[in-house]
Every structure is written in structure tokens, then in C-alpha cells.
Amino acid sequence: MIQIEQVSKGYQNKDITFTVLKNISLTIQRGEFVAIMGKSGAGKTTLMNIIGCLDTFDSGTYCLNGTDISHLPDKKLAFIRNEEIGFIMQDFALISHKSVLFNVMLPMYFDRTPWRDMKRSANLVLQKLGVADQQHKKVSQLSGGQKQRVAIARAIVKKPTLLLADEPTGALDSETSQNIMKTLVSLNQEGTTVIIVTHDSQIANYCKRKIIISDGKIIQDSAWHS
């Protein structure tokens, strides 16, 4: 599903180039549940952004579901993001003054899904995540755990093959974090490939595979043993 070969990425700051990823090679099969770990600045979020077609890279190749995305135009990358990838961000990235239902339906606006179908699909995932009774509330009225469930609902409403989560429980209490992770485990068991970026070993403990990045390089890639 994900095939990354010798990918490097750097950023230019005036006359200085900072290399963030150094010749990363990585294969992730469909249906895996993976934790990407590392200290702040190690390159884990940059790697996730490349996997999610949110960022480009300087050298190497990246194939997603058999498609080489290395030199695709922005329009095609946007299509892939909307059709194949779901994103869960640490800060939820929801529109706070809009309703829960609006936020979950948002990904379907871009492909002109009929209103009736958008509403039905949104209701189904909200029911699945236990927040259907909140659908008419504004996001600003929700608790942190409810916001994260809405963010997950939005991420999976189009049934993506790949779900990317950047510190999905970073702003939540322990009990809510456990419930969110159980939800992600359930989604993975249903066939969704899940990749989590985290610094928390307890969160990584839910995953079947752990990849550790340090100074832009993969230093460990192994099954996780609790």
C-alpha cells in the first residue's frame, strides 16, 4: 500500500538547509496499525505529511496504492487526499462555529455528493462513534472527547483506505484517550490502515508495529510487545 524508497526532505532558511528526513525507506501493507515515534524535531510529522500527500520531498520515490505520487500535480494530490486518506489532527481542526453535522459532511462537498447522501453518510458515522445526538450542536459546545470523535467521523466519512492521526490523544485525559484508541483499533480491525504519530509509549502500545525516528532516520522498526 505504502512504498517509500530513499526519501529525503530539507528546508531552506536563508543560506542554511536543514535536512529533516535522510534517505527514508519504508513499506506499510494494507491493514497495518503503525505507530511512528520520535522526539520533537526527529522528522516524524514531516514523514506523516509526506505519506498524507500534504508535503513534497526532495529526492526518492513514494507509491501509494500502486500510484507513484512523486511528481503528481497539486490538483491530483488533492484528489488523492480527499478520496483515499483520512486525517485526524491533534487540535481537531474543526470549524468551531459550525455544526457537528456540517463539519462531518465537509469532505463530501468537494466531490459534489448530493445533500441527501452527505447527510445519510454523516449520520451513519456519527452513530458509529456515539455522537449522533450532538449533530446539531456547534463544535464550540462540545467536550474535548466529543470533538475528537467528530474529527474521527469526518476523517472516515468517505471510507478512506488510510487513516493518519497526529497525536490524536495529546489534548485529552487518560480515560478519553483510551476510548479514542479503542475506536481506532476497531477501525483497523475493519480493514482501515492506521498510522499514528505519537511520543506516548502507552498510545503506541495499541499498535501492532512501532517505527522510531531519530535525526531524520529510522532507527527501529519492529512489532510492539506489550
Side-chain angles (χ1 to χ4, degrees):
M1 178 179 186
I2 292 170
Q3 184 72 49
I4 293 173
E5 295 288 346
Q6 297 294 305
V7 162
S8 293
K9 171 72 176 180
Y11 294 100
Q12 191 77 25
N13 185 4
K14 296 183 179 180
D15 296 327
I16 302 174
T17 299
F18 298 93
T19 303
V20 182
L21 297 178
K22 305 171 184 176
N23 297 318
I24 293 284
S25 293
L26 176 65
T27 298
I28 296 175
Q29 303 294 342
R30 185 181 298 273
E32 285 201 70
F33 195 176
V34 181
I36 297 178
M37 304 184 70
K39 295 179 180 179
S40 179
K44 58 187 186 296
T45 297
T46 299
L47 178 59
M48 189 193 76
N49 288 340
I50 289 173
I51 292 172
C53 302
L54 290 169
D55 203 353
T56 59
F57 45 94
D58 300 327
S59 61
T61 60
Y62 171 30
C63 289
L64 176 63
N65 292 330
T67 299
D68 186 348
I69 64 102
S70 305
H71 304 291
L72 291 181
D74 290 343
K75 187 174 182 180
K76 180 62 175 176
L77 291 174
F79 176 82
I80 291 173
R81 286 195 299 270
N82 195 47
E83 294 298 317
E84 300 188 40
I85 307 172
F87 297 92
I88 305 170
M89 303 303 182
Q90 181 178 358
D91 62 356
F92 314 126
L94 299 169
I95 303 174
S96 61
H97 66 280
K98 292 290 187 178
S99 71
V100 166
L101 189 62
F102 175 89
N103 274 271
V104 176
M105 291 194 301
L106 192 58
M108 295 180 283
Y109 280 102
F110 300 112
D111 59 9
R112 300 179 181 178
T113 302
W115 170 263
R116 183 179 300 176
D117 294 340
M118 284 197 295
K119 190 173 182 180
R120 182 172 62 249
S121 296
N123 272 314
L124 284 173
V125 294
L126 287 170
Q127 289 172 15
K128 179 184 181 72
L129 291 164
V131 284
D133 58 337
Q134 307 294 319
Q135 63 180 286
H136 298 301
K137 287 186 177 181
K138 291 182 179 180
V139 168
S140 59
Q141 297 174 293
L142 304 181
S143 68
Q146 289 171 331
K147 289 177 182 177
Q148 191 61 296
R149 289 189 180 277
V150 172
I152 295 173
R154 182 189 56 190
I156 67 172
V157 70
K158 296 192 67 174
K159 300 179 180 179
T161 58
L162 173 62
L163 188 60
L164 300 177
D166 188 5
E167 300 284 3
T169 62
L172 305 175
D173 62 79
S174 177
E175 182 179 356
T176 304
S177 296
Q178 291 176 19
N179 290 333
I180 293 298
M181 290 308 302
K182 288 176 182 177
T183 298
L184 296 181
V185 169
S186 177
L187 290 169
N188 176 250
Q189 291 172 342
E190 293 171 6
T192 304
T193 304
V194 180
I195 302 175
I196 296 175
V197 168
T198 183
H199 68 280
D200 189 334
S201 60
Q202 291 185 333
I203 295 302
N205 197 32
Y206 285 88
C207 302
K208 299 174 184 176
R209 179 180 174 189
K210 179 181 66 171
I211 297 169
I212 298 179
I213 296 180
S214 179
D215 295 326
K217 296 180 179 180
I218 294 175
I219 62 170
Q220 181 178 331
D221 185 352
S222 61
W224 179 270
H225 300 286
S226 58

